[in-house]
Amino acid sequence: MTTLLWLRQDLRLHDHPALTAATQEGPVIPVYILDDDAPGAWRIGGAQRWWLHHSLAALGHAYTKKHSRLILRRGDAVATLTALMEETGATAIHAIRHYEPWWRKAEDALGERLCLHDGNHLAPPERVTTGSGGQFRIYSAFWKGLQAHLPPETPLPVPHTIAAPERWPSSESLTDWHLLPTKPDWSGGFDWTPGEAEAQRKIATLDLDGYDDRRNMPSQEGTSRLSPHLHFGEVSPRAVWHASGAHDVTFRKELAWRDFTDGVVLAMPDYGRKNGRAAYDTLPWRSGAAARRDLRAWQRGRTGYPIVDAGMRQLWRTGWMHNRVRMITASFLIKHLLIDWREGERWFWDCLIDADYGNNAVNWQWVAGTGVDANMFGRIMAPLSQSEKFDAGDYIREWVPELAGLSDDAIHDPEAAGCLPKDYAPKLIGHREARERALAAGRKVR
Ligand code: FAD
């Protein structure tokens, strides 16, 4: 029996339960559908289009090596799969389950034709529940609840053979999708190798020595940089888990955040657009021309706060930003500039190669304090002390060359040190003033 294998954010051959199940039934037609103009779907951001192009090219190559093919189609996923079933005589569709609300809608619409498999989490989020059967809202409680499901299952091998159908359906050409940027091509600084082979190489050489401390230092390569590979499913989280050791608890706890965030969006599908705490709908965010100007300065890395500017420029140039700096830049936008977290979330969505509906929304709302897990609007990160604590100056020097010549003492706050270079902007707002404005806004929440 021929079946379709519907690929989405699971662009791999290793540990792919849907692929394994499909090969056991007979010939397999692997298909990727570009469906991001569907109502309710979040259009894939610019940086991720670049990644997707290369990842699909690599996957297509891997299937060819297995004497199979990757079929590419564009359009509504449900309609395209329905048409492909008719065209090929396929009897079923195999796929890995996803939790983005638009994917869940499509999965529902396909009904019994679709055979769903778990494979992109340490444990299926709907099975990790509180005593009353709901999703966890607090990470620490989630981590405790997850223990009953650990360790995750052993990863599956790549199927030995993938039987081909007698006749292949036609495929669109990847280059016709124009996923790569052209005028201008801003991807010059994207020093990444998308695809499963690189993800496998990274887990085979995973070095988590000193991760607990080094992960907070943005100038060091102290983290795995697996996030885009995990988002696109080029590697499974359980393969990553088993590649780490029992003593790498901090790392495993970070890895489990992905599972937690998908549990949150399972319970609250519009978490990417709605405050987790409805009371925050009354928060008086800034808007108007001055706020728009400040937003633009933040996006371009011209806020006058070197650590914030370094992070925003790293994001723009490389499509990735260090986690500690993601927290600092997000907090700065929300609290110092008093701009709605959704503006920042949207910018990250477009610029991050690892942009992920659940991870992005839950982290933005976590920093904002508008989410389900913490009520922390009043907790305001001080960017200057964060900068002094976590960067000896090397990170700022790398991303803000105007400041490269400053001393370690002056580099975190050149304005206060009285050595502001002519080509570097003064602060948009002072820390104390910003803090008072944010706290006053927080008090207005009813
Ligand atoms: P490592 O430290 O090596 O961690 C291993 C893996 O664990 C990561 O690849 C990632 O899949 C997962 N992970 C680690 N930390 C988190 C976390 N806080 N939340 C969820 N998963 C985590 N991560 C995304 O994958 N996509 C996003 O869109 C995203 N948006 C973010 C927005 C903000 C405002 C903040 C503060 C964090 C965001 N993160 C996001 C989480 C985190 O910054 C990245 O996952 C991490 O920096 C990726 O680098 P790494 O692979 O080297 O991480």
Side-chain angles (χ1 to χ4, degrees):
M1 275 189 316
T2 300
T3 58
L4 301 181
L5 173 67
W6 180 26
L7 299 167
R8 289 173 284 176
Q9 286 146 208
D10 40 41
L11 306 178
R12 63 178 182 270
L13 299 186
H14 285 86
D15 196 26
H16 199 302
L19 168 63
T20 302
T23 54
Q24 283 162 0
E25 282 179 26
V28 185
I29 302 175
V31 53
Y32 182 89
I33 302 165
L34 186 63
D35 176 25
D36 64 348
D37 287 329
W42 283 29
R43 196 164 197 278
I44 303 170
Q48 287 201 317
R49 289 180 175 262
W50 176 90
W51 188 285
L52 181 63
H53 175 95
H54 294 293
S55 190
L56 287 174
L59 188 68
H61 189 61
Y63 270 114
T64 310
K65 279 198 359 212
K66 284 272 174 196
H67 309 290
S68 178
R69 285 186 200 175
L70 175 62
I71 302 299
L72 303 177
R73 292 278 173 106
R74 211 172 353 185
D76 174 72
V78 177
T80 308
L81 288 166
T82 308
L84 265 173
M85 280 183 91
E86 259 175 47
E87 189 184 331
T88 61
T91 50
I93 307 162
H94 288 280
I96 286 186
R97 193 189 304 275
H98 290 292
Y99 292 85
E100 286 80 355
W102 56 93
W103 289 134
R104 288 182 54 218
K105 225 165 109 193
E107 288 167 4
D108 284 349
L110 287 164
E112 290 186 352
R113 290 170 289 174
L114 182 64
C115 189
L116 283 170
H117 306 264
D118 297 306
N120 269 13
H121 297 85
L122 298 170
E126 64 274 29
R127 272 193 239 149
V128 186
T129 53
T130 61
S132 54
Q135 300 303 138
F136 284 100
R137 284 155 186 248
I138 295 178
Y139 177 77
S140 50
F142 168 83
W143 173 250
K144 264 197 205 141
L146 183 65
Q147 299 310 304
H149 304 264
L150 295 176
E153 284 170 34
T154 311
L156 298 164
V158 176
H160 198 59
T161 49
I162 304 172
E166 268 174 31
R167 252 168 27 103
W168 283 102
S170 64
S171 172
E172 294 179 26
S173 132
L174 185 56
T175 42
D176 286 351
W177 286 5
H178 302 293
L179 295 171
L180 297 176
T182 45
K183 293 173 199 154
D185 177 3
W186 36 255
S187 66
F190 279 30
D191 188 13
W192 298 91
T193 309
E196 181 173 18
E198 175 67 2
Q200 286 292 324
R201 191 197 63 77
K202 278 191 180 166
I203 63 166
T205 55
L206 195 61
D207 175 11
L208 297 169
D209 232 21
Y211 176 83
D212 288 31
D213 297 323
R214 295 206 311 138
R215 77 195 176 103
N216 273 313
M217 301 299 186
S219 67
Q220 298 191 19
E221 280 230 14
T223 62
S224 71
R225 306 214 177 190
L226 278 166
S227 52
H229 301 285
L230 278 161
H231 168 78
F232 283 94
E234 295 170 355
V235 65
S236 71
R238 54 193 188 190
V240 177
W241 174 282
H242 288 289
S244 64
H247 52 280
D248 298 318
V249 181
T250 311
F251 176 77
R252 287 178 165 184
K253 274 186 167 169
E254 292 300 312
L255 187 64
W257 263 92
R258 292 179 65 258
D259 283 42
F260 172 66
T261 66
D262 272 341
V264 173
V265 300
L266 177 64
M268 282 164 285
D270 49 10
Y271 205 69
R273 280 289 173 263
K274 270 195 179 167
N275 290 316
R277 290 168 189 266
Y280 280 94
D281 295 350
T282 60
L283 191 114
W285 298 111
R286 285 172 68 226
S287 58
R292 277 200 300 279
R293 187 205 58 209
D294 287 357
L295 174 63
R296 194 96 190 107
W298 177 81
Q299 291 169 337
R300 297 180 158 212
R302 303 207 173 278
T303 65
Y305 284 79
I307 191 75
V308 174
D309 295 341
M312 297 310 293
R313 295 186 199 184
Q314 181 185 31
L315 173 63
W316 180 254
R317 291 271 298 283
T318 69
W320 187 86
M321 194 199 296
H322 188 277
N323 180 59
R324 167 65 44 187
V325 194
R326 290 189 203 201
M327 290 195 275
I328 298 171
T329 54
S331 174
F332 186 84
L333 181 79
I334 298 164
K335 315 279 169 73
H336 282 67
L337 300 183
L338 203 57
I339 290 176
D340 194 327
W341 60 268
R342 283 160 280 222
E343 291 288 354
E345 183 207 31
R346 254 193 286 266
W347 184 252
F348 272 29
W349 179 261
D350 199 32
C351 297
L352 277 173
I353 45 165
D354 64 25
D356 182 273
Y357 182 74
N359 286 356
N360 205 28
V362 170
N363 277 286
W364 272 96
Q365 293 226 42
W366 180 80
V367 176
T370 52
V372 287
D373 49 350
N375 188 2
M376 296 196 304
F377 189 83
R379 201 193 76 165
I380 295 170
M381 265 187 164
L384 299 174
S385 16
Q386 288 281 316
S387 184
E388 282 165 12
K389 186 163 173 202
F390 296 111
D391 182 32
D394 297 345
Y395 180 71
I396 295 174
R397 286 194 184 92
E398 180 173 2
W399 298 109
V400 191
E402 307 94 286
L403 304 179
L406 297 189
S407 70
D408 288 354
D409 288 340
I411 199 161
H412 302 284
D413 189 355
E415 204 177 337
C419 49
L420 193 69
K422 268 209 281 313
D423 52 355
Y424 187 68
K427 294 190 191 92
L428 288 177
I429 185 168
H431 175 61
R432 193 171 304 160
E433 189 190 339
R435 194 182 137 76
E436 278 161 18
R437 182 172 71 178
L439 291 174
R443 283 194 291 273
K444 294 202 174 121
V445 170
R446 292 185 300 274

